[in-house]
């Protein structure tokens, strides 16, 4: 169960970080969202949090 949840969190983190980076580099709306350079910080931080928590959960699992 922890392995599945950790994998989901890690995957969501990667998606959020990629979205934030793509929105930061683009001047056009991304997936319908028009974000300023400062507003892209929020999905980047949320994605980083999800990714690090997910990786931490995966590292704590004993095989």
């Amino acid at each position: 169960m922890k392995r599945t949840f950790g994998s989901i969190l890690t995957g969501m983190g990667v998606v959020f970080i990629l979205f934030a980076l793509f929105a930061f580099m683009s001047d056009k709306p991304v997936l319908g969202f028009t974000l300023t350079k400062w507003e892209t910080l929020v999905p980047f931080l949320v994605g980083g949090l999800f990714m690090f928590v997910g990786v931490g959960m995966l590292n704590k699992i004993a095989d």
Side-chain angles (χ1 to χ4, degrees):
M1 184 76 173
K2 282 186 179 181
R3 183 177 312 224
T4 303
F5 195 60
S7 298
I8 290 170
L9 281 175
T10 303
M12 284 177 52
V14 169
V15 168
F16 271 85
I17 289 173
L18 288 174
F19 169 77
L21 293 175
F22 187 69
F24 183 79
M25 297 299 291
S26 178
D27 293 333
K28 300 176 185 176
V30 177
L31 296 176
F33 296 104
T34 304
L35 300 173
T36 65
K37 301 297 182 189
W38 284 103
E39 289 172 342
T40 58
L41 187 62
V42 174
F44 183 78
L45 292 176
V46 170
L49 178 69
F50 281 2
M51 191 174 73
F52 288 122
V53 169
V55 169
M57 286 181 75
L58 291 173
N59 283 339
K60 290 182 182 178
I61 297 173
D63 287 331

